[in-house]
Amino acid sequence: MRKTGRTDADQYLGLVKFLSWSSLALILLVNLFLSIFLSNYARQDVLAKQKEFALLLAENLNHQIYQRFTLPTVIGFGRVELSQPAQYDRLEKTVLSTIHSFHVSEVRIYDYDKRVSFSTDKELVGQTGYAGEAIMEALDQGKSSFQLVSRTGLFSSIFNFHPKPDSVILRTIYPLRIERSLIPGNPQGFIMGVLEFTQDITNDYQKVVDFQRIIIGTTLASSVLLFIMLRVIISRAGRINAQRIAEREQLERELQQQEKLAGMGRMVAGIAHEIRNPLGIIRSTAELLLKRGKDTDGVNARLLSAIFDESKRLSKTVGDFLDYARPKSPRQERVDLAVICDQALTFLEAKCEEQGIAVTRDYAPGLTVSGDKDLLYRAVYNVLSNALDAMTEDKEKVRPSAITVSATADAEAVILSVTDSGPGFCPENKDRLLDPFFTTKDAGTGLGLAIVRTIVESHNATLTLDNAEDAGARVTMTFPPA
């Protein structure tokens, strides 16, 4: 059941994590698509305005050339011949005065022979081979066109924060017409040539790129922020879910343990109750016969003594069974744990001296808790007895045998610790040492620590088993203050 629940939870968290990553990818894709769409729309809008402005400039340039150059030249010279320096200079002045302050880089005029008849770059005058398809269409069809030339790519321009002049230019091709016929019979709007000029629109185009940077930066920032929020929510949900799973598993283990122990306790109580009375008769009879026949045959005396000792030990075992199966409700009275420790150590002092075990008392009177003095004494005695047995059974004895009983008290808790210099708790068995009937001793019922745990928990306290830093076992009991 627990394994199935954890598997379902892991699958659920895995699905949530997958959805979070998918959401991030979807948000990024959608936002990037919107940013590209908006920036492209803004770029097209800027280019459209630039084309409108270029077209107006071309019409104005056509008008100025006609009014200030073509008409005066035809009237004064009879015909237009740009090979004459006077006519060329007049046209140059007209063009330069018209394009002044409009960021026009170059102006060219092509004649019907596709030859450059005028250019602000005088080295091109008279040259051929520069007329492209757009020039041909303007001559043949009278069609104007625009060409955008960029020295940087669409994506590389985003990372170019200081573009050079003429990085983005707009080339305008416009048929150069006469505004009215000068010769009777000629159609109005006769095409004299093709006007071509280029404008530096780098600054205006850079505004579009800046707008695109803002959109992409906002998109990435919002996507990362949303993803972080999702991850925080998912992580918190995962921690809460893991905590709930752990609590549920712990509750299930406790319920199963309680059910098992309840059934076992009923069985043990019944058996122990049936054994207790006959065992008491055997013990008292053996004691009586031992007193009467201690001056008789030594063999019989040893046999009676063995019967008495074993019945006494068995009686204690039966008593442990009954104590565990039918735990007593603790009385509520003020108890000083220092007094309890002194009593238990006094009772075991002779045995410690016999085995060369040093005892250190690191506590002071005033460790007051609320509980049952007899039950607390039994819990402390069992812990000390286990520590004594652990060092007695330790065959290696790398360190001198010692038991340290320490206690501290504050406003929140009273902590009592018993530390020995024995082999310590085996990590593999530490989680099972509090289970009833589990023991690592050759002769033991496995109820000692289980009874201690029952007594401690009945006092609203906690029992902790751990190993000391310098080896050895440490048993800690944490009580709420009285």
Side-chain angles (χ1 to χ4, degrees), residues 285-304:
T285 303
E287 184 179 9
L288 179 60
L289 293 176
L290 185 61
K291 291 179 180 179
R292 290 181 179 179
K294 58 183 177 179
D295 296 332
T296 59
D297 187 8
V299 176
N300 292 332
R302 286 195 299 273
L303 292 175
L304 290 174

Side-chain angles (χ1 to χ4, degrees), residues 11 36 46 63 66-67 80 112 119 136 187 215 232 244 251 271 284 309 334 340 357 362 377 380 397 438 443 447 477:
Q11 292 178 352
I36 294 173
V46 170
H63 176 74
Y66 178 74
Q67 292 291 336
V80 176
Y112 269 95
S119 175
M136 308 288 288
I215 294 177
V232 169
R244 290 181 177 177
L251 181 60
I271 296 174
S284 59
D309 291 339
R334 297 176 68 86
I340 299 295
I357 299 174
D362 186 13
Y377 171 82
V380 174
K397 291 186 178 181
F438 177 82
L447 291 175
M477 292 177 277

Side-chain angles (χ1 to χ4, degrees), residues 98-390:
T98 304
I99 66 175
H100 177 68
S101 72
F102 286 107
H103 303 290
V104 177
S105 303
E106 182 185 2
V107 177
R108 298 178 189 175
I109 296 177
Y110 295 88
D111 57 18
Y112 269 95
D113 294 330
K114 289 80 176 177
R115 183 175 61 248
V116 180
S117 59
F118 172 83
S119 175
T120 53
D121 184 4
K122 294 183 179 181
E123 295 181 357
L124 299 179
V125 177
Q127 299 291 327
T128 58
Y130 291 94
E133 294 183 1
I135 302 295
M136 308 288 288
E137 291 180 356
L139 287 172
D140 297 338
Q141 305 175 17
K143 181 180 179 181
S144 58
S145 59
F146 305 92
Q147 295 176 354
L148 181 67
V149 180
S150 177
R151 295 179 180 177
T152 58
L154 178 61
F155 292 99
S156 60
S157 62
I158 297 177
F159 303 99
N160 186 8
F161 293 92
H162 301 287
K164 297 180 180 180
D166 294 330
S167 295
V168 182
I169 61 175
L170 179 65
R171 180 178 292 115
T172 303
I173 299 169
Y174 185 82
L176 190 63
R177 299 174 182 270
I178 60 174
E179 294 185 348
R180 63 177 182 269
S181 178
L182 300 178
I183 303 175
N186 283 350
Q188 190 175 5
F190 180 81
I191 298 176
M192 297 183 296
V194 177
L195 179 66
E196 178 187 275
F197 61 91
T198 57
Q199 292 174 279
D200 183 10
I201 62 171
T202 303
N203 293 333
D204 294 328
Y205 193 80
Q206 193 65 23
K207 295 179 181 178
V208 179
V209 176
D210 292 339
F211 177 67
Q212 189 174 14
R213 291 194 190 105
I214 293 173
I215 294 177
I216 294 176
T218 305
T219 298
L220 293 176
S222 60
S223 300
V224 171
L225 181 61
L226 288 174
F227 176 72
I228 291 174
M229 293 176 62
L230 285 174
R231 293 298 299 171
V232 169
I233 293 173
I234 292 172
S235 299
R236 185 175 181 182
R239 290 194 299 269
I240 294 174
N241 190 58
Q243 182 179 359
R244 290 181 177 177
I245 291 175
E247 292 176 352
R248 186 178 64 184
E249 291 180 350
Q250 179 65 24
L251 181 60
E252 290 177 355
R253 285 196 297 268
E254 291 178 356
L255 290 176
Q256 292 178 357
Q257 185 71 7
Q258 289 177 1
E259 292 177 358
K260 179 177 70 175
L261 296 180
M264 189 179 299
R266 289 191 295 269
M267 179 187 70
V268 169
I271 296 174
H273 182 72
E274 294 297 328
I275 295 175
R276 192 172 190 179
N277 292 333
L279 185 61
I281 296 174
I282 295 174
R283 177 182 174 182
S284 59
T285 303
E287 184 179 9
L288 179 60
L289 293 176
L290 185 61
K291 291 179 180 179
R292 290 181 179 179
K294 58 183 177 179
D295 296 332
T296 59
D297 187 8
V299 176
N300 292 332
R302 286 195 299 273
L303 292 175
L304 290 174
S305 179
I307 294 173
F308 175 74
D309 291 339
E310 292 301 318
S311 61
K312 183 179 179 181
R313 185 181 65 82
L314 185 58
S315 178
K316 181 180 179 300
T317 301
V318 172
D320 290 340
F321 285 158
L322 289 175
D323 289 342
Y324 182 77
R326 298 174 182 176
K328 297 178 181 179
S329 298
R331 297 190 302 271
Q332 297 300 321
E333 55 186 11
R334 297 176 68 86
V335 180
D336 191 348
L337 287 181
V339 177
I340 299 295
C341 294
D342 287 338
Q343 292 177 352
L345 288 173
T346 301
F347 190 82
L348 294 172
E349 187 175 6
K351 190 173 182 180
C352 290
E353 292 179 356
E354 179 183 347
Q355 297 182 5
I357 299 174
V359 178
T360 303
R361 307 187 187 195
D362 186 13
Y363 56 86
L367 306 172
T368 306
V369 297
S370 179
D372 192 311
K373 185 172 83 170
D374 295 335
L375 292 178
L376 291 175
Y377 171 82
R378 182 167 186 182
V380 174
Y381 179 84
N382 280 348
V383 172
L384 291 172
S385 179
N386 284 340
L388 193 62
D389 293 341

